[in-house]
Amino acid sequence: MAKTHVKMNVNGREVESLVEPRTLLIHHLRENLNLTGPHIGCDTTHCGACTVDMNGKSVKSCTVFAVQADGAMITTIEGMAAPDGTLHALQEGFRMMHGLQCGFCTPGMIVRAHRLLQEIPNPTEEEIRFGIAGNLCRCTGYQNIVKAIQYAAAKLSGAPMQEAAE
Amino acid sequence: MPVIPAPFSYHRPKSLAEATALLAEHNDEARVLAGGQSLIPMMKFRLAAPEHLVDVGNISELKGIQRTGNTLIVGAMTTQHELQQSQMLSEAAPILKETSLLIADPQVRYMGTIGGNVANGDPGNDMPAVMLCLDAAYRLTSVTGTRTIKARDFYEGTYATALKTGEILTAIEIPVPPAGHGHAYEKLKRKIGDYATAAAGVVLTTRGGRITTCAIAISNLADKAILATDAAAAVIGTALEKPTLDKAIAAARSIMSPATDTRGTTEYRTSVGGIMVERALKCALARAKG
């Protein structure tokens, strides 16, 4: 099958590739671009471990063809920290509030939470839970994930915050 | 089980004319790709294996929400997320946003489109029942022209609709419901992201606290979304007193035929289907002004 030329901006870098039309975005990111932060969990649009940001939208990259992302701006977990390695407020929040245990869902959670905070900078707990409803975590029970996102929201808006997990 | 789609040729037309020409050329071997949130999973499981995929994501003619007189015109490629952001839609027909928020999860709603939801013919989708309640019409375009068909005439069965090979759903025309109308969409589901165990939509108007017009439709309780016309007729002229309500619920249950599946048995789903109708009626009546 003829390959299709695709060009996208991934974490600030312009990348051009030839992909088979049936290549899913998650496979393109992981296998062609070596970005293994986005995970393949369920492969059926349920778990959200493969979530990346595409043109300002959180998407499940197992349910998008790479050809659909032609011309897109993509951010993965690898693009969240500053170039000098300083953690993003969300990454710091997940660390400080123990927002992860096994860590498998974390890249998708953080990228999703990033978009959520762009749209609702100071979300209520209910808005956070509704906003991350497409991301499953089997370890934490979500309590500390919610706290981690609240930590990041507070830090990003300059509000006083709790220093560490209870 | 494979989760890699079968190979296909990919087309990304820039205009509706180009898209319909591609569909005419490839006929049964082509499928339209909208948001892909139903089609891509089906392709991964090889339940669908189109040889040609016509991605309509780049066609600006299919985007946008407008109001012309008393008709709302929603472009088929409007995503659920965009629909939720439209102040004009939320004010004119709030049942659309209310229902949209009950579909799938945030990621799926950023990609999934209103057109895909109504045209796919999946009886588990929520918007078809809402379109039945609102008496919407669908614009279907092919190389030979455009026709308009009522949502109430569109659905034939599971994945079977009046959409013909070569046609694309381009827009949905929704008559603006009267000011002060009451609405509700009640959906029972096991968890966020799930299809309905049972769901019901209601749009009604009242005068002096009595129901003057009413449409009720149910989702995932038959092989397609269906109007509960007898149930709606039973409540007209009433203020939803207990005997009336019981009669309407019984009439609605009599047309339900849900399969026994992981969401419950036929009996259970029919039982809760009646409860969804009851809740939607009560909620819509409470919201109505008139």
Side-chain angles (χ1 to χ4, degrees):
Chain A
M1 196 60 61
K3 291 198 172 183
T4 303
H5 178 257
V6 292
K7 186 169 145 183
M8 51 190 95
N9 182 302
V10 183
N11 299 329
R13 195 163 59 96
E14 295 290 335
V15 282
E16 295 190 41
S17 329
L18 283 172
V19 296
E20 242 191 297
R22 65 171 170 167
T23 304
L24 296 162
L25 181 58
I26 184 68
H27 292 136
H28 182 53
L29 293 171
R30 289 177 57 86
E31 290 162 22
N32 299 339
L33 306 182
N34 272 333
L35 295 169
T36 54
H39 290 156
I40 300 173
C42 67
D43 226 333
T44 53
T45 334
H46 288 100
C47 78
C50 65
T51 299
V52 302
D53 201 81
M54 179 169 104
N55 293 332
K57 304 180 285 193
S58 305
V59 302
K60 295 187 173 180
S61 61
C62 79
T63 312
V64 177
F65 289 118
V67 287
Q68 288 176 281
D70 186 30
M73 295 280 291
I74 308 275
T75 304
T76 68
I77 186 67
E78 288 90 343
M80 293 297 294
D84 69 356
T86 306
L87 294 183
H88 184 275
L90 276 161
Q91 293 171 306
E92 188 184 308
F94 272 70
R95 179 182 169 199
M96 297 299 287
M97 306 312 284
H98 297 179
L100 63 143
Q101 287 174 28
C102 86
F104 193 86
C105 72
T106 314
M109 282 284 183
I110 288 180
V111 173
R112 170 60 198 139
H114 171 60
R115 181 53 45 199
L116 176 67
L117 293 184
Q118 300 286 312
E119 292 181 355
I120 313 175
N122 288 296
T124 62
E125 178 177 342
E126 195 186 347
E127 285 169 332
I128 292 173
R129 289 180 182 274
F130 193 70
I132 61 168
N135 296 73
L136 302 183
C137 171
R138 303 289 80 165
C139 302
T140 63
Y142 302 97
Q143 299 285 40
N144 287 349
I145 291 176
V146 172
K147 287 180 188 168
I149 296 170
Q150 287 170 328
Y151 175 104
K155 177 159 184 172
L156 291 168
S157 63
M161 51 197 177
Q162 191 187 335
E163 284 299 314
E166 284 158 12
Chain B
M1 195 176 282
V3 278
I4 307 282
F8 57 85
S9 295
Y10 177 74
H11 307 272
R12 189 158 45 171
K14 291 195 171 56
S15 69
L16 182 57
E18 206 185 319
T20 51
L22 281 162
L23 290 182
E25 184 187 343
H26 299 294
N27 276 309
D28 290 343
E29 292 173 354
R31 285 286 301 262
V32 171
L33 176 69
Q37 303 301 287
S38 298
L39 182 57
I40 295 174
M42 288 183 77
M43 289 174 67
K44 289 170 78 173
F45 286 128
R46 310 274 172 120
L47 296 171
E51 293 193 20
H52 295 269
L53 207 51
V54 179
D55 180 355
V56 294
N58 263 21
I59 303 178
S60 54
E61 296 151 88
L62 303 181
K63 283 271 185 190
I65 301 167
Q66 308 158 40
R67 178 172 177 160
T68 309
N70 270 334
T71 307
L72 301 164
I73 299 162
V74 184
M77 283 300 287
T78 303
T79 65
Q80 301 290 348
H81 181 75
E82 288 163 349
L83 183 150
Q84 291 160 17
Q85 305 301 310
S86 166
Q87 189 79 20
M88 187 249 288
L89 266 195
S90 298
E91 281 166 14
I95 193 171
L96 292 168
K97 180 176 179 179
E98 177 169 303
T99 305
S100 182
L101 285 166
L102 298 172
I103 295 171
D105 60 44
Q107 285 94 321
V108 173
R109 293 194 294 265
Y110 280 112
M111 289 297 286
T113 63
I114 184 80
N117 196 286
V118 302
N120 194 25
D122 185 337
N125 284 354
D126 295 295
M127 284 295 180
V130 172
M131 297 305 161
L132 296 180
C133 286
L134 292 168
D135 198 14
Y138 302 152
R139 274 187 205 163
L140 312 177
T141 300
S142 69
V143 282
T144 57
T146 296
R147 66 183 175 119
T148 302
I149 183 170
K150 293 252 189 193
R152 293 176 181 178
D153 297 324
F154 185 74
Y155 298 100
E156 295 171 355
T158 304
Y159 296 113
T161 67
L163 189 78
K164 292 183 188 145
T165 301
E167 282 183 328
I168 298 179
L169 170 73
T170 58
I172 302 170
E173 298 173 5
I174 302 168
V176 177
H181 75 279
H183 73 277
Y185 190 76
E186 291 286 338
K187 178 177 178 180
L188 180 72
K189 52 192 168 138
R190 298 171 300 180
K191 56 176 272 290
I192 283 189
D194 197 12
Y195 289 100
T197 301
V202 169
V203 173
L204 55 75
T205 56
T206 55
R207 184 173 300 148
R210 294 194 167 268
I211 296 169
T212 45
T213 65
C214 179
I216 305 171
I218 55 178
S219 300
N220 220 14
L221 290 165
D223 65 347
K224 57 182 181 175
I226 45 177
L227 270 181
T229 41
D230 290 348
V235 303
I236 290 176
T238 77
L240 222 53
E241 300 82 0
K242 181 84 168 71
T244 303
L245 193 56
D246 288 345
K247 202 171 142 194
I249 294 166
R253 282 192 177 125
S254 75
I255 59 166
M256 295 174 189
S257 54
T260 291
D261 64 12
T262 51
R263 294 178 183 84
T265 61
T266 298
E267 293 72 22
Y268 169 73
R269 296 180 62 197
T270 304
S271 173
V272 293
I275 295 168
M276 294 303 108
V277 169
E278 176 181 0
R279 287 184 188 168
L281 276 170
K282 284 180 172 168
C283 178
L285 181 62
R287 285 168 166 174
K289 295 179 186 75

